[in-house]
Amino acid sequence: MTTSPSRIALFASVVALTAAVAQAQGEPDRWWSPGEDRVFPTQLEYENEHGTLRILRTGDPLEVQDHPFFRPLGPSGRACVTCHQPADSMSLAAETARERWEVTGGSDPLFAAYDGSNCPLLPQDDPASHSLLLDHGLIRIERPWPVTRWHESEVEPDFTIEVVRDPNGCNSGPTYGPENGRISVYRRPRPVANVKYLLAVGFPFDPKQGLALPRDPRTGDLLSGNLMADGRVSTLRGQMTDAGRTHLELLRELSDAEIDEITRFEKELFVAQQSSRTGGALDTLGATGGPARLRDSEPGALGSIGEPVWSEFAAWENLTAQNAPELSAEELAFRQSVARGARVFREKMFLITDSAGINSPMGFGNPVRNSCVFCHNMTQMGNDVAPGQVDLGTTTLPFADPNPELPMFRITCHGDPHPHYGREILTTDPGFALTTGRCADVGKITLQSLRGLPARAPYFSNGLAADLEEVVDYYERRYNIGYTQQERQDLVNLMSVL
Amino acid sequence: MKNLIAFFALALPVSAVQAQEGQLVTFVTCPIYRDTDFGRKSGCWLAEDPNTGQRWDVTLSPYKPDWNYAVLVEGRVSDAAPDACGAPVLDTVRTSRLYDTPCPAHMLPAEGYPGREYKLQGRYINPIAVPRDVPPGPYEERVFTLYFEFNQDFLVYQYDDYLMDKAATWLAAAQPRKVVVTGYAATDEREVTGHVLSEEASIAQGRADAVALSLSRLLPELEIEVRTQLGAQTTDDPDADNIPGQSQRRAEIRALFHD
């Protein structure tokens, strides 16, 4: 997919229509610009394709103009909120990026040359130079190479990186690329909400690393390892410091006071779909969808030994026209489908093969029979209770879908070969290996939470799935699961209410 | 079909049916995955001893095969019926992946066999929110041992994490003056069905480092000294499950209270 004037024009129409509908419904402005004089209330709601997203915030309404999450802190005019928009589940939907391009002609700080374009070297007034953001919702992430340290240990990489393809210019030339210590990869912004679940530690061991969990050197707390796509930092402080230096282009460090304020704000946010366009309110007739339960629950529980994942919708398994006469036939069918989808998510078994972080190095076996909840195992959230670095193949050949707009790297392993790929690996994003320096970690990406999904397409770290259907289809291709059309639709409907 | 297979099982080579309960069998082979479906983690792993032609059910290993690589099988013959996976059962058993010996991936259909329903039992740890019982004193010099796959230094899920959790809970209560972590490697060569096997010397350091790093994370105040020992000999520690090779592939945590 490429960005063309006709595509922009099409989105302009959609944007205008969406805005008109939203205004007619009294919805607050969808876009939060840095430095706006606005109040962040204790409850916000935004319409999306699948229904209504609700954001709950503990505490009092917040004047945001001078709040460091919302204030432009760097020279680009960006703030944290630029890429973590409430209407997009505190992430950023590609459609929102296209809307901003249309509204601002590309002048919004979102499109900052540093990382809001495919590469700063490209002509910045051309939407094609921002195609990865406009088409796939991707932000450029620049990683240093070689990595030298991870947690308390020095690192000496056991692989080398060559650039096979550099369509954007940010992985070659006199200043970019591995020879110059700078590797550019492109990833989706991760949602900053429901944070207590992302920080929760269920067990003191990381089974994927074969080690006890590391500790935060500042606080002594065990670290969940579930914050960043490549696990390069494991604390909110670390994430903010990293984002300040890069995405905000700060020439100074964030102050402790700023970090504390942002941390407090992020921990106060709980986001989930509240109602379905087809199925109605998600917290009725026994269901407990929506963000209130997220706000009120203890985080970090493993679904397999406690409350099963997505049992929020278990009560809908028994809905009938007789016991739920208030539902239309369409609402009833949709709710029944969601309940089935939850069971498919937990119970549809398939063979997981050649996926590092699952089939190696742990002893589950290759293959191993399991379902979606093998990895998406945290009650109410669907992220991994253990640190969730897993290689689904989304960025690595032969499993990754072609995307010629992304760079391609050749990894050559100099120690032990990768157990599933061998000595040479082709990847568009080495992922966790850029953090650990280990060939065995190439392609591993930290699992996401699944809440707020309907508001933040596209999906996977590289935006390969344009919508929820394509998420299911990727898994079907990757693992040959054999979903029926009904199961596929049930899973899509489930994900549309999270 | 299942009955037919059971009939043929009765006609297996004499060496197979003569294996005595408790007998140790050790061999290298390409593993076979049987696609049984009794829910999560219910697939079967089979392995055929090239010396005898006997196919064994090796599914109960805490570290299971990768169908792309050979495995070193070390197991004890059990008297369990071959009902679950369609082969006599090795229990206890270990299946170490030999990543330098590729195999053609091979999968059998379930052929009527159910596999085993996964149940949480044996060596697993509780969530961190569950308080650990404080082990009673008096506390004196004591050794805890962790075990590894052949030529690996990776702490095994639902085996080593359990042993480490037990050690860390005791150490937190006992507060020894220091601990000495010794990583062992079974560097002496042995021939197993035509394969000459020995662990790399560096794996002893890797095991010691992995255990020491984990201990330092769990108990940051603990003083830890790291040592290595090559040419590891067998022990009779029950946590090695009566598998001599497993007892060699270990790391020890020795708690010391005096100079």
Side-chain angles (χ1 to χ4, degrees):
Chain A
M1 189 192 301
T2 56
T3 305
S4 63
S6 61
R7 185 173 173 76
I8 293 287
L10 172 65
F11 273 100
S13 308
V14 173
V15 166
L17 180 62
T18 305
V21 170
Q23 281 193 342
Q25 293 174 339
E27 183 180 273
D29 286 348
R30 293 184 74 84
W31 181 258
W32 289 66
S33 285
E36 272 188 299
D37 183 11
R38 288 178 75 167
V39 173
F40 202 102
T42 55
Q43 179 175 311
L44 264 173
E45 290 192 347
Y46 288 102
E47 293 297 306
N48 54 55
E49 177 189 356
H50 297 281
T52 305
L53 183 83
R54 178 175 288 178
I55 302 111
L56 293 179
R57 200 185 132 261
T58 58
D60 299 323
L62 181 70
E63 297 274 356
V64 301
Q65 191 170 26
D66 293 322
H67 191 283
F69 188 90
F70 296 85
R71 194 170 67 229
L73 297 174
S76 69
R78 274 215 193 133
C80 306
V81 74
T82 304
C83 293
H84 299 284
Q85 288 284 324
D88 297 354
S89 304
M90 301 306 292
S91 173
L92 181 74
E95 186 176 344
T96 300
R98 292 189 287 266
E99 177 184 334
R100 289 311 293 168
W101 185 275
E102 176 59 29
V103 169
T104 68
S107 65
D108 193 286
L110 172 63
F111 303 105
Y114 175 78
D115 59 358
S117 75
N118 299 359
C119 186
L121 302 173
L122 300 170
Q124 294 299 305
D125 56 354
D126 183 351
S129 301
H130 305 266
S131 62
L132 289 171
L133 176 53
L134 294 170
D135 294 341
H136 304 286
L138 299 175
I139 295 288
R140 189 175 73 92
I141 308 289
E142 187 171 300
R143 297 298 321 273
W145 187 255
V147 61
T148 56
R149 192 163 189 85
W150 187 49
H151 290 310
E152 61 274 77
S153 303
E154 291 184 3
V155 169
E156 188 172 343
D158 66 358
F159 63 89
T160 50
I161 302 180
E162 297 169 80
V163 178
V164 176
R165 180 178 76 206
D166 183 21
N168 309 304
C170 261
N171 280 297
S172 57
T175 54
Y176 290 102
E179 291 80 13
N180 297 298
R182 303 167 73 182
I183 292 178
S184 294
V185 292
Y186 299 84
R187 298 182 185 145
R188 300 277 295 112
R190 294 166 79 90
V192 289
N194 311 320
V195 166
K196 70 178 179 183
Y197 294 87
L198 302 177
L199 298 176
V201 170
F203 297 86
F205 288 91
D206 178 351
K208 301 180 184 69
Q209 294 295 311
L211 293 169
L213 290 179
R215 290 183 185 271
D216 181 347
R218 290 177 64 92
T219 65
D221 295 338
L222 291 171
L223 296 168
S224 72
N226 277 325
L227 281 185
M228 308 284 280
D230 58 13
R232 62 187 181 275
V233 294
S234 299
T235 63
L236 290 178
R237 169 178 285 272
Q239 186 276 331
M240 288 174 215
T241 302
D242 180 272
R245 289 173 184 158
T246 57
H247 306 311
L248 300 183
E249 300 180 73
L250 286 182
L251 300 176
R252 62 173 178 86
E253 297 291 327
L254 288 170
S255 70
D256 285 348
E258 288 170 329
I259 287 174
D260 289 345
E261 266 193 280
I262 297 171
T263 300
R264 197 176 312 119
F265 173 73
E266 291 182 350
K267 287 184 171 178
E268 290 170 343
L269 295 178
F270 296 92
V271 174
Q273 196 80 339
Q274 179 63 31
S275 68
S276 162
R277 193 159 285 182
T278 314
L282 300 172
D283 56 356
T284 59
L285 295 176
T288 54
R293 185 126 190 281
L294 280 173
R295 178 194 60 199
D296 299 336
S297 299
E298 284 297 312
L302 188 63
S304 62
I305 59 172
E307 180 184 326
V309 176
W310 311 140
S311 56
E312 286 89 339
F313 305 103
W316 287 357
E317 290 179 10
N318 302 316
L319 288 184
T320 64
Q322 288 70 42
N323 64 24
E326 63 271 50
L327 297 179
S328 69
E330 187 183 33
E331 287 171 331
L332 174 63
F334 182 86
R335 291 182 182 211
Q336 290 169 333
S337 171
V338 166
R340 282 195 305 271
R343 282 212 173 265
V344 171
F345 194 92
R346 292 192 301 267
E347 297 172 6
K348 177 80 173 185
M349 296 290 153
F350 54 94
L351 289 184
I352 302 168
T353 54
D354 297 331
S355 295
I358 302 175
N359 303 111
S360 67
M362 302 93 78
F364 293 128
N366 182 27
V368 61
R369 176 171 288 281
N370 221 303
S371 67
C372 302
V373 291
F374 194 20
C375 298
H376 295 282
N377 52 44
M378 189 184 287
T379 298
Q380 300 172 23
M381 276 288 276
N383 58 314
D384 198 339
V385 170
Q389 287 77 42
V390 168
D391 172 27
L392 297 175
T394 50
T395 68
T396 301
L397 270 56
F399 306 115
D401 293 336
N403 186 344
E405 293 179 84
L406 292 174
M408 179 75 76
F409 306 99
R410 177 184 291 108
I411 305 290
T412 303
C413 307
H414 296 294
D416 293 332
H418 189 286
H420 310 303
Y421 295 126
R423 195 163 290 286
E424 285 201 355
I425 308 168
L426 291 173
T427 179
T428 57
D429 184 350
F432 192 41
L434 291 175
T435 298
T436 66
R438 290 193 308 233
C439 159
D441 293 327
V442 171
K444 288 182 183 174
I445 301 287
T446 309
L447 266 76
Q448 283 259 21
S449 153
L450 301 186
R451 301 314 293 264
L453 273 180
R456 53 183 167 95
Y459 306 106
F460 296 117
S461 69
N462 57 359
L464 75 84
D467 52 34
L468 297 173
E469 286 81 359
E470 289 193 10
V471 172
V472 181
D473 292 345
Y474 177 78
Y475 282 102
E476 178 66 47
R477 286 196 301 279
R478 174 65 182 83
Y479 296 114
N480 193 25
I481 297 171
Y483 288 129
T484 65
Q485 278 303 311
Q486 184 64 64
E487 288 172 331
R488 177 180 184 267
Q489 189 59 53
D490 292 343
L491 280 172
V492 168
N493 289 344
L494 169 71
M495 290 191 286
S496 80
V497 301
L498 299 179
Chain B
M1 183 58 157
K2 185 175 167 183
N3 289 338
L4 191 64
I5 290 167
F7 169 80
F8 281 113
L10 293 174
L12 285 169
V14 173
S15 55
V17 292
Q18 283 182 339
Q20 299 294 307
E21 182 187 350
Q23 180 183 331
L24 178 70
V25 293
T26 306
F27 56 93
V28 172
T29 193
C30 288
I32 301 164
Y33 183 76
R34 185 188 285 286
D35 192 21
T36 52
D37 187 359
F38 204 149
R40 62 191 174 122
K41 303 181 188 175
S42 63
C44 289
W45 284 102
L46 306 171
E48 197 161 302
D49 184 343
N51 278 336
T52 63
Q54 173 64 56
R55 179 173 287 180
W56 298 99
D57 173 357
V58 298
T59 313
L60 296 173
S61 174
Y63 35 86
K64 302 188 195 311
D66 180 326
W67 62 5
N68 294 307
Y69 298 100
V71 282
L72 165 63
V73 176
E74 304 158 289
R76 297 280 178 186
V77 176
S78 86
D79 62 354
D83 296 346
C85 298
V89 180
L90 295 182
D91 182 17
T92 55
V93 64
R94 300 292 186 268
T95 52
S96 294
R97 293 162 285 191
L98 303 178
Y99 284 116
D100 56 356
T101 308
C103 283
H106 183 45
M107 180 165 71
L108 293 173
E111 295 182 305
Y113 292 103
R116 291 184 183 84
E117 184 177 19
Y118 175 77
K119 289 177 182 161
L120 196 59
Q121 56 190 356
R123 298 181 177 114
Y124 68 91
I125 61 172
N126 283 316
I128 203 165
V130 177
R132 272 55 171 168
D133 292 334
V134 177
Y139 305 115
E140 54 192 20
E141 184 170 327
R142 182 171 174 185
V143 176
F144 295 88
T145 308
L146 288 82
Y147 295 99
F148 297 86
E149 192 172 350
F150 179 82
N151 218 29
Q152 301 291 325
D153 56 17
F154 187 87
L155 297 179
V156 180
Y157 177 61
Q158 293 188 346
Y159 189 11
D160 287 320
D161 51 354
Y162 165 82
L163 298 170
M164 175 69 86
D165 196 66
K166 203 163 70 167
T169 302
W170 188 89
L171 291 167
Q175 300 195 321
R177 186 180 63 79
K178 73 171 183 179
V179 298
V180 176
V181 174
T182 304
Y184 290 79
T187 48
D188 296 341
E189 289 185 349
R190 62 173 171 156
E191 185 172 338
V192 179
T193 51
H195 296 256
V196 178
L197 300 177
S198 64
E199 292 194 301
E200 294 168 18
S202 61
I203 213 70
Q205 187 70 50
R207 287 171 180 163
D209 289 345
V211 171
L213 179 58
S214 289
L215 271 181
S216 72
R217 289 174 170 182
L218 294 171
L219 303 167
E221 306 302 321
L222 194 63
E223 182 183 338
I224 304 171
E225 181 182 325
V226 171
R227 298 178 185 169
T228 59
Q229 175 74 54
L230 306 183
Q233 301 301 302
T234 60
T235 75
D236 58 1
D237 179 16
D239 282 323
D241 292 338
N242 204 18
I243 306 286
Q246 180 65 95
S247 75
Q248 292 175 283
R249 303 189 297 268
R250 68 184 187 273
E252 291 178 352
I253 303 166
R254 183 176 297 274
L256 301 174
F257 290 83
H258 309 290
D259 289 330

